[in-house]
Amino acid sequence: MVLVIGCTLAQVSLGTWGAVEIYMRAWIVWWRLPGTSLSLPVFPGGALVGLVLMFNLAAAQLKRMELSWKKLGLWIVHAGLILLFVGEFITGVYQVDTRLAVEVGQTVDFVESPRENELVVTDVTDPAADEVYGLPEGLLARADSIPLPGTPLTINVKKFFRNAQLGSRRPTDPPSPATMGVGPGVAVFELAAVANDEDVNRTSAFIEPVAGGRSYGTWLVSNVLGAPQSFTHEGRTYELAMRARRWYLPYSVTLKQFRHDVYEGTQIPKNFSSLVQLRDPARNEDREVLIFMNQPLRYAGKAFYQASFGKGDTLSILQVVENPGWLLPYISCVLVGIGLIVHFGIALRRAFKRRAALTEATT
């Protein structure tokens, strides 16, 4: 109960996902001392509480409950509850939430993180095919110098901002660390990370590409900067950009039609749906799929849900969830239901037998 209340209150400043990660998915809830970098453990997290409850339930089951047909229903119920705990642990560790944004007529073969950005270095030398290298923002925040595998480049991170406000530089602003690109003309002010799940951090960084012992200057990269920035090293041209973290798929999705239905005579939404063409040459898949509310597309371990829309009903946003344990909660609920029915049936049978015996004794 303490965790639930704490997690609920923390959503005001951390957002839903941030609060769940700190209170429900963590082993320990930590509290950072104001004005310092020191954190103290203050309460067991949801993962630790769940693990203790699971072992307590299993131990009580084995020690106190007799192994007999009379207790079969309760054995099934407890097995279902333990499976529910296991499913939550698998979800906490392995579930990946991403999104796929696609406009009508557009074909997309990647999903993006709604909460995490990455620095992308793209080798655009070959006009036939780009070579893309990504560095997640978590790595940029931790490391000062990051070699870029497959290239002669090393990225030196001068300063990283999880969230920042960017504006035109004024004469009174301090000198910018940037020496190349658009950075020298931009002022950067650090902000707290966003708390609303609908908002996006304006992740920014000052970085210095180095290759062959030569520095190519300090650049400002941010997911709110649209201007292309590039440099050339030994005949190869590299572009720098910050964008939502991206994962490429071995198949593609084309949006053929998006519908936003409302109740007649009102503007109240009735239904959202996306008619997509799914193409996967490796599996000989080429078919139309209609995705609408509570009717996702499940394919190759991922579930595509209709989540949002935009651009005058020409843009569909699908929430993409990958969770290898998604079936476990359903199985556990079925087990608990079956266990309760079995236990009720056994108890009812015993009651009928006692009643029959009592009737026979009194006649």
Side-chain angles (χ1 to χ4, degrees), residues 66-80:
E66 61 180 286
L67 185 60
S68 68
W69 288 107
K70 292 187 298 184
K71 302 295 183 182
L72 177 61
L74 294 179
W75 276 90
I76 297 175
V77 169
H78 288 182

Side-chain angles (χ1 to χ4, degrees), residues 126-138:
D126 184 354
D130 294 340
E131 295 181 17
V132 182
Y133 306 91
L135 297 175
E137 65 174 62

Side-chain angles (χ1 to χ4, degrees), residues 78-98:
H78 288 182
L81 292 176
I82 292 174
L83 190 61
L84 189 62
F85 283 124
V86 173
E88 176 55 25
F89 274 105
I90 292 176
T91 297
V93 174
Y94 295 106
Q95 178 169 308
V96 178
D97 290 299
T98 54

Side-chain angles (χ1 to χ4, degrees), residues 91-155:
T91 297
V93 174
Y94 295 106
Q95 178 169 308
V96 178
D97 290 299
T98 54
R99 68 179 183 180
L100 187 150
V102 56
E103 296 185 45
V104 175
Q106 184 184 18
T107 298
V108 172
D109 63 351
F110 59 84
V111 294
E112 297 177 322
S113 170
R115 293 177 291 278
E116 186 181 4
N117 294 302
E118 65 179 355
L119 169 67
V120 174
V121 180
T122 307
D123 184 343
V124 296
T125 308
D126 184 354
D130 294 340
E131 295 181 17
V132 182
Y133 306 91
L135 297 175
E137 65 174 62
L139 183 59
L140 297 176
R142 293 194 304 270
D144 297 328
S145 183
I146 310 170
L148 206 58
T151 77
L153 301 177
T154 294
I155 303 298

Side-chain angles (χ1 to χ4, degrees), residues 15-95:
T16 303
W17 290 103
V20 168
E21 289 296 324
I22 290 175
Y23 283 84
M24 295 303 180
R25 297 278 167 79
W27 297 100
I28 300 291
V29 178
W30 296 84
W31 176 63
R32 174 170 289 184
L33 290 174
T36 72
S37 59
L38 182 63
S39 297
L40 299 175
V42 294
F43 205 78
L48 182 58
V49 172
L51 187 65
V52 171
L53 286 175
M54 186 178 68
F55 278 111
N56 181 64
L57 182 61
Q61 174 89 1
L62 296 174
K63 182 178 180 180
R64 298 180 180 177
M65 192 173 295
E66 61 180 286
L67 185 60
S68 68
W69 288 107
K70 292 187 298 184
K71 302 295 183 182
L72 177 61
L74 294 179
W75 276 90
I76 297 175
V77 169
H78 288 182
L81 292 176
I82 292 174
L83 190 61
L84 189 62
F85 283 124
V86 173
E88 176 55 25
F89 274 105
I90 292 176
T91 297
V93 174
Y94 295 106
Q95 178 169 308

